[in-house]
Amino acid sequence: MQPRYESAMLAEIASVDNLTRAWSHVRRNIRISQRGRSHGPDAVTILDFEAAWVEHMQQLAMELQSQIYRPLPPRRLFLDKRDGGKRSIAILAVRDRIAQRAVLQILEPEIEPTFLDCSYGFRPYVGVPHALTRIERYRQQGLQWVAHADISDCFGTIDHQILLSQLHQRISDRAVVELISQWLSVGVMEDAATTEASNWWDDGEDLLERLAKHGEDLLWPNQVGYPQASSTYDPQTLDFEASRTDSLRKRALQGLASNAALWGITHSKRVISGLRSLAPLLKQVPGGGLTWGAAGIATLALIPLSQRLLRQRERGTLQGGAISPMLANIYLDSFDRAMTERGHILVRFADDFVLLGAHQAAVEQALADATNVLKRLRLATKESKTGVQHFNDGLTFLGHRFAVQPQAEAERWSSFEAAERAIKERLRKPRK
């Protein structure tokens, strides 16, 4: 199959060296005792993949470079959070973990340096200690007022249209953006999707007839209204109010149909059962190819799930994927730049951030501006975790509680004259 776009970056992503490094990272992340049990929706474990490693890697490289790679909808688990809520974690197939890691290894060196130094989450060489040190430094400079806020369900509410627009401004290779868009729209496998259902095939004839008539348009839609690649990146652009177009729905159907083919292979018994009863209709599929038939039949298996997939995957990135943290930072980089351009002092760690100032009114205005900027990104803060306070009220950020600073000590360094008097006074007093 001829690739849809010329892509030098995909060749680099699919290179032997890059995919091998990606595999090593994925394998290293799974403890030895778990490698025989850790698997995604296709039930292929790390040990299974390793047993036929060369064949699996050659196939993955070919699919990526030929632009026929399609990810499987991952399994979703819910983990308990400290505040009593639930955190959604996606369990990807091994091949999809490798592919995401391979893309990250190529994109990160280019994109990482473009982030501002007020961002500390999910970035190499910086982390929680560095964020806390920076806040303490601002405090010593006299910024005693702080607004603390947490973005509500940030990973789950990232708008795909806005994110794809941002990616097109940063990445000139359209094929790579298309690859990332597949991971965004692939959906997840819920428990209900794996239960037996006697009516899975009831609407099969209608769907296959539609595939036979409009299949090419459904699987490979024209990119009308699709964000165009840009040679320049404008990080301060926040005008994302363009209405959704038919192309978004078509791309969702594209992802659904191609994912269904892979899903059908995983659940081959059900596919074969449906194939026997619907075989005559396969002749109407364009080209009469087996791939089209597999896509149509597997799509039938996903009829009860399709509407849920389309609804769920218009927003959010999958927590658990290697590329998701970088995508979140790309999305929130517009927030960082909008706030710093307004002159506000910001320290952000992923979806948790603080704004600092010398006066309460200034910090309250900064928080109001942050709320408006986030609204334009279709995000919101958690009311229960948002507020303005003085450092001496006891700020807690990233699990660290800042010690209350005595007022006399806080004002000690208001001028060099005051500092000189304090030093001389201390020298006069004998040491105990």
Side-chain angles (χ1 to χ4, degrees):
M1 181 176 178
Q2 186 69 22
R4 300 179 66 200
Y5 310 112
E6 293 294 331
S7 176
M9 188 175 289
L10 272 185
E12 191 176 0
I13 289 170
S15 68
V16 174
D17 178 69
N18 190 56
L19 282 179
T20 301
R21 287 192 296 116
W23 154 255
S24 298
H25 189 277
V26 169
R27 183 177 182 273
R28 189 167 58 248
N29 273 355
I30 304 298
R31 289 180 296 181
I32 294 177
S33 61
Q34 298 292 324
R35 290 176 185 171
R37 298 195 295 270
S38 176
H39 64 82
D42 56 356
V44 176
T45 67
I46 292 289
L47 291 183
D48 294 334
F49 194 95
E50 197 168 23
W53 186 79
V54 173
E55 291 82 358
H56 284 307
M57 295 297 284
Q58 288 176 339
Q59 178 69 20
L60 180 58
M62 183 275 294
E63 291 181 12
L64 287 170
Q65 197 157 359
S66 302
Q67 300 174 29
I68 62 173
Y69 165 85
R70 298 293 179 267
L72 280 169
R75 295 190 298 124
R76 181 158 67 175
L77 300 179
F78 291 94
L79 304 179
D80 293 330
K81 297 171 66 176
R82 292 181 180 179
D83 59 6
K86 296 285 186 179
R87 175 178 284 107
S88 171
I89 300 295
I91 309 298
L92 280 68
V94 174
R95 65 191 296 275
D96 297 332
R97 299 181 216 174
I98 297 170
Q100 285 205 14
R101 181 68 196 179
V103 171
L104 179 66
Q105 289 171 174
I106 299 302
L107 290 183
E108 189 175 61
E110 294 186 13
I111 294 179
E112 168 62 27
T114 68
F115 295 143
L116 299 185
D117 61 359
C118 61
S119 170
Y120 289 88
F122 308 122
R123 299 185 62 185
Y125 313 119
V126 294
V128 173
H130 306 90
L132 297 176
T133 299
R134 182 160 187 159
I135 294 173
E136 183 61 38
R137 186 166 69 247
Y138 283 136
R139 181 188 189 184
Q140 295 298 328
Q141 292 173 3
L143 305 182
Q144 296 291 315
W145 285 90
V146 58
H148 178 204
D150 191 352
I151 300 174
S152 179
D153 190 19
C154 180
F155 279 86
T157 55
I158 286 177
D159 187 280
H160 291 177
Q161 187 179 10
I162 295 175
L163 179 56
L164 288 173
S165 176
Q166 294 171 330
L167 289 174
H168 269 278
Q169 292 186 59
R170 289 175 176 269
I171 304 171
S172 59
D173 195 312
R174 188 168 183 173
V176 175
V177 178
E178 290 261 335
L179 176 60
I180 295 173
S181 73
Q182 292 185 47
W183 288 319
L184 292 174
S185 61
V186 69
V188 293
M189 295 290 290
E190 303 282 6
D191 291 340
T194 59
T195 58
E196 296 290 345
S198 60
N199 62 343
W200 275 14
W201 310 101
D202 291 350
D203 298 325
E205 292 187 358
D206 176 66
L207 183 60
L208 274 184
E209 287 173 358
R210 284 159 50 203
L211 276 174
K213 187 175 180 181
H214 304 291
E216 183 68 20
D217 190 41
L218 287 175
L219 287 183
W220 299 112
N222 295 324
Q223 302 299 319
V224 177
Y226 198 74
Q228 297 299 311
S230 172
S231 59
T232 59
Y233 168 54
D234 181 8
Q236 299 175 40
T237 299
L238 287 175
D239 186 13
F240 302 119
E241 298 304 323
S243 60
R244 301 185 187 282
T245 63
D246 290 340
S247 65
L248 289 175
R249 298 186 182 90
K250 288 181 179 180
R251 288 200 308 279
L253 286 171
Q254 170 192 344
L256 176 63
S258 43
N259 288 329
L262 292 173
W263 193 92
I265 292 170
T266 306
H267 298 76
S268 56
K269 291 183 180 179
R270 293 170 184 167
V271 174
I272 292 172
S273 175
L275 182 62
R276 287 172 180 168
S277 61
L278 300 171
L281 287 172
L282 291 179
K283 296 178 181 180
Q284 301 178 31
V285 176
L290 180 60
T291 303
W292 280 91
I297 292 298
T299 303
L300 299 180
L302 286 181
I303 285 174
L305 181 64
S306 61
Q307 292 182 344
R308 294 188 63 190
L309 284 176
L310 292 177
R311 284 198 304 268
Q312 288 184 350
R313 301 314 302 155
E314 289 181 358
R315 294 173 71 86
T317 62
L318 299 172
Q319 292 195 63
I323 202 171
S324 293
M326 185 184 70
L327 294 180
N329 275 332
I330 290 174
Y331 196 83
L332 292 174
D333 185 61
S334 296
F335 169 74
D336 298 342
R337 294 179 182 275
M339 295 301 293
T340 53
E341 282 295 316
R342 288 167 169 79
H344 301 310
I345 304 298
L346 169 71
V347 176
R348 180 179 63 81
F349 190 97
D351 57 356
D352 206 356
F353 66 90
V354 294
L355 297 158
L356 302 103
H359 308 286
Q360 181 177 359
V363 172
E364 289 175 346
Q365 181 59 51
L367 183 58
D369 288 346
T371 302
N372 291 331
V373 173
L374 289 173
K375 185 177 181 180
R376 296 175 69 181
L377 289 168
R378 298 191 176 95
L379 299 174
T381 58
K382 295 180 182 177
E383 293 185 7
S384 60
K385 294 186 176 181
T386 301
V388 175
Q389 64 185 108
H390 194 278
F391 263 108
N392 285 350
D393 295 333
L395 171 68
T396 299
F397 184 63
L398 303 178
H400 173 81
R401 185 174 178 85
F402 288 84
V404 176
Q405 189 179 48
Q407 190 66 18
E409 184 179 353
E411 296 177 351
R412 183 174 57 185
W413 308 112
S414 59
S415 67
F416 284 109
E417 291 77 11
E420 183 184 28
R421 288 194 297 271
I423 292 173
K424 289 181 178 180
E425 181 66 23
R426 180 177 298 178
L427 292 175
R428 290 195 205 99
K429 294 180 180 180
R431 292 184 179 181
K432 294 184 179 180

